Amino acid sequence: MAAVMAMPDVEAAAQRLGINLSSVDLDDIRLPPGDDFGIPSDDDEDLLAREELEFESGFGNVVVVDNLPVVPPEKFEKLENVVRKIYSQIGVIKEDGFWMPTNLETRKTLGYCFIEYNTPQEAELAREKTNGYKLDKSHIFAVNLFDDFDKFMKVPDQWTPAEIKPYVPVVSKRSISRQDQYVICAGQETEVLWNDARQLKPELVYRRSQWTESFVQWSPLGTYLATMHRQGVAIWGGGSTFNRIMRYAHALVRLIDFSPGERYLVTYSSHEPNGPRDTHRVVLNIFDTRTGKVMRDFKGNADEFMTGTAGGVSGVSWPVFRWGGGKDDKYFARIGKNVISVYETETFSLVDKKSMKVENVVDFCWSPADPILALFVPELGGGNQPARVSLVQIPGKEELRQKNLFSVSDCKMYWQSNGEYLAVKVDRYTKTKKSTYTGFELFRIKERDIPIEVLELENKNDKIVAFAWEPKGHRFAVIHGDNPRPDISFYSMRTTHNSGRVSKLTTLKGKQANALYWSPAGRFVILAGLKGFNGQLEFYNVDELETMATAEHFMATDIEWDPTGRYVATSVTSVHEMENGFNIWSFNGKLLYRIPRDHFRQFLWRPRPPSLLSTEKEEEISKNLKKYSKKYEAEDQDVSLLLSEQDREKRKMLKDEWERWVKEWKRLYDEEKAERRRLRDGEASDEEEEYEAKEVEVEEILDSVEEVVP
């Protein structure tokens, strides 16, 4: 290879040989093959770099399906068709991609098969969706990826115990605090805050811009905060710093619903038809909250999900699936045409492999505490077949109680939060069929044979505006009347002698209210006048049957109690263009603080997990509340003293800062005194008394007019 020459040496050699370099076309120069004269070309870098070829290794697109039936040759084809039908719904099986080995001697199948898909993603999806699939009672599929067998083969023969790390309890402020958190959405900002009632202001926990594309939602026990995105749903957790825990892929998701025990998440999306022959389709996925795995999906026309009376989106009743059986998340159900489909979460299949047939059923609801369904069937045949409300025990589908109802116009069911009572509001036609009147059928679920009691208002023609049970209690309230100021009546399912008869406690006449909001702890209720009543609020004590306070939150749209029942939030969302923001009140109607926010759209208290105390322990604490309260009163006093000390320190700091500022300016003022004297020609006029006041009159001609008078 020739020696490398520097450019000045090249120019000197060209001048010595009489060559004009500016006239030389470098593109016409041809170097000897294989010789670059020590100057590699930039264009050759891609050629010099050797690209490593990627070869697909392993069998990631192959699944092994075990626990198949062992069949003779004559049933081989039938079994193959069944298995192919199941797995071809998930992805495309390769040509010659199905192999079910047989015993050479008996020619029977060996109880497993190999299925090869086009892509590893299809194989992974097949494993997720069919592992545990129940073909029949004796054959439940065990599905693995072929590549997983390498991992299984590397398991050591000798067992070694896992290293047990000592448990370090994680104590967050939320776990020890008597404060509660809430989340708000305003514009593009989402914030989680502590409700600091002592300081009369919120304390910021976490803020994030564009955290969600539509809304946020707490899980029922407050463990997770869900955010909505075009690609799906994300859940976040923590007490002070919110970290993403899991993502659930569901394109264009619009609605979500957690199961009561937070084990599962239901997501919903609707897809408009692409052409005149297409239909409006609905997709629902049920995810395992902890693993993110799709346990089951439901797809179909929107018409299939429109049956029922609950509110929803685009005509679809929401939630489509209603959870039952308490917080065990054991059952969920949906209503269809003439059927109620009840599923069990152990296999995510129908209970007894079939839906429950109920002709013309229009509504149902679960007991909050037990696997009991309450369902309503309207009248049929022009009244020849009466309407009925039935209570059905799951999973046995045994009818516990039935009540026939006549001349029914409409019916609505309300469960008490402990599942002890069920109230059925029945609108009935009068004899002339020209008007209706309302009564209540009250079921005592926990009593023998489930007795039913009929309750009618004193004025049967009163319109029922609102009904609400006292949480965990035995009382309920009804707003009734056709006047602009309706009446509010309170009833109890227990009487003084506990005779099992409903009794009226009191009736409040002419109230500006159209909604009822019970405290989660019972006893207190807010009689709210929303919409047309412009946010009238009355804080009422049902134990004492007295009004504690009246107030107003102008144009309020939403009211929500905190989980403890100590505080309540009222808010004005962006459905109104003005007065957006929220107020925090004490349970007895004292306004604690007001937070205005433009484009305010959501306020949600963070739910608290259930108490770990037994019912007996809670009752014992209630009886000895004064003894326990002394401890917390002392803590409150310490906190108050600390806050007072902090306030004094803050005031002292502000005073010291002011005095430093005054001292600095006085120093500068004194330093400039000589300069001021010089500018004033030796006059020292800093002191007020050295000034001499003089009056000076100045005359100024503003205008003059000359007129010639004849």
Side-chain angles (χ1 to χ4, degrees), residues 99-241:
W99 181 47
M100 188 159 50
T102 59
N103 188 301
L104 296 177
E105 296 179 0
T106 63
R107 298 180 61 194
K108 289 185 177 181
T109 60
L110 298 177
Y112 60 89
C113 71
F114 300 86
I115 299 174
E116 184 178 5
Y117 286 100
N118 283 329
T119 65
Q121 290 77 13
E122 291 175 318
E124 177 66 29
L125 186 62
R127 184 183 65 83
E128 288 185 2
K129 284 185 170 292
T130 61
N131 187 37
Y133 179 82
K134 185 184 289 186
L135 186 65
D136 53 46
K137 290 183 179 180
S138 303
H139 300 92
I140 300 175
F141 289 176
V143 185
N144 292 283
L145 296 176
F146 191 88
D147 278 353
D148 287 344
F149 283 88
D150 286 338
K151 179 179 67 175
F152 300 148
M153 295 300 293
K154 292 177 182 178
V155 175
D157 295 333
Q158 186 176 1
W159 177 79
T160 55
E163 180 184 357
I164 300 176
K165 297 180 180 180
Y167 172 70
V168 179
V170 179
V171 181
S172 66
K173 184 178 178 183
R174 179 172 183 252
S175 64
I176 61 175
S177 176
R178 299 200 299 276
Q179 297 175 343
D180 282 281
Q181 286 182 351
Y182 55 82
V183 62
I184 62 172
C185 295
Q188 297 295 321
E189 299 292 327
T190 301
E191 298 177 5
V192 180
L193 305 110
W194 288 109
N195 174 37
D196 194 342
R198 292 193 182 97
Q199 295 278 28
L200 301 181
K201 64 179 182 180
E203 177 188 344
L204 181 65
V205 176
Y206 188 80
R207 177 190 288 124
R208 186 163 178 168
S209 180
Q210 297 179 338
W211 199 3
T212 180
E213 295 183 21
S214 53
F215 63 90
V216 297
Q217 183 171 322
W218 291 110
S219 58
L221 304 180
T223 308
Y224 312 114
L225 178 66
T227 56
M228 308 293 292
H229 308 274
R230 195 167 304 169
Q231 301 87 349
V233 181
I235 61 170
W236 311 73
S240 56
T241 58

Side-chain angles (χ1 to χ4, degrees), residues 467-648:
F467 175 96
W469 283 103
E470 176 186 26
K472 303 177 183 178
H474 55 88
R475 295 173 290 200
F476 60 90
V478 183
I479 302 179
H480 55 94
D482 297 320
N483 300 324
R485 289 173 173 258
D487 299 338
I488 303 176
S489 296
F490 292 90
Y491 296 85
S492 173
M493 296 294 287
R494 302 175 187 170
T495 61
T496 307
H497 304 290
N498 197 24
S499 61
R501 297 285 299 176
V502 64
S503 60
K504 186 169 77 170
L505 302 176
T506 188
T507 296
L508 308 178
K509 297 288 187 180
K511 293 294 181 178
Q512 288 184 293
N514 54 15
L516 298 162
Y517 295 91
W518 283 94
S519 162
R523 184 179 177 184
F524 306 114
V525 64
I526 295 177
L527 317 177
L530 306 179
K531 298 179 180 178
F533 288 121
N534 290 327
Q536 298 295 320
L537 306 173
E538 182 171 343
F539 296 79
Y540 193 76
N541 184 339
V542 183
D543 279 1
E544 305 297 332
L545 299 178
E546 64 180 11
T547 298
M548 298 180 291
T550 56
E552 180 187 48
H553 187 174
F554 185 61
M555 294 195 299
T557 57
D558 299 280
I559 297 176
E560 187 172 354
W561 284 89
D562 85 323
T564 66
R566 295 182 297 169
Y567 306 102
V568 65
T570 59
S571 58
V572 180
T573 57
S574 53
V575 295
H576 297 302
E577 295 182 358
M578 301 175 61
E579 304 291 336
N580 284 186
F582 63 95
N583 295 350
I584 300 295
W585 311 76
S586 66
F587 72 93
N588 57 359
K590 179 182 178 182
L591 178 61
L592 301 179
Y593 57 90
R594 185 193 311 266
I595 304 294
R597 287 292 174 88
D598 291 336
H599 308 293
F600 184 79
R601 53 193 172 89
Q602 195 173 13
F603 181 104
L604 290 174
W605 289 101
R606 185 172 190 172
R608 286 197 173 197
S611 172
L612 299 177
L613 299 177
S614 64
T615 305
E616 294 77 13
K617 185 63 177 177
E618 289 183 353
E619 292 177 354
E620 188 266 331
I621 291 174
S622 298
K623 292 178 181 178
N624 301 282
L625 190 59
K626 290 184 178 180
K627 181 182 73 173
Y628 289 101
S629 63
K630 289 180 181 179
K631 171 186 174 182
Y632 297 105
E633 286 173 359
E635 288 185 8
D636 289 342
Q637 187 174 4
D638 292 341
V639 172
S640 299
L641 292 174
L642 178 61
L643 293 175
S644 299
E645 183 64 27
Q646 290 175 348
D647 288 339
R648 284 194 294 271

Side-chain angles (χ1 to χ4, degrees), residues 13-66:
Q15 187 176 5
R16 186 174 64 253
L17 296 173
I19 299 174
N20 185 6
L21 288 177
S22 61
S23 63
V24 177
D25 188 355
L26 298 178
D27 291 335
D28 289 339
I29 299 175
R30 294 291 180 264
L31 298 176
D35 197 347
D36 58 8
F37 285 84
I39 309 173
S41 171
D42 292 341
D43 297 335
D44 295 336
E45 289 183 359
D46 292 339
L47 297 175
L48 294 172
R50 292 180 175 268
E51 293 186 2
E52 294 185 2
L53 297 179
E54 294 184 3
F55 297 95
E56 184 175 340
S57 61
F59 297 89
N61 57 337
V62 177
V63 295
V64 182
V65 183
D66 201 358

Side-chain angles (χ1 to χ4, degrees), residues 69 71-85 98 100 102 107-109:
V71 299
E74 57 268 21
K75 294 185 179 180
F76 184 97
E77 185 178 353
K78 182 178 180 181
L79 177 61
E80 179 181 350
N81 291 337
V82 170
V83 177
R84 276 185 177 273
K85 183 177 180 181
F98 184 92
M100 188 159 50
T102 59
R107 298 180 61 194
K108 289 185 177 181
T109 60

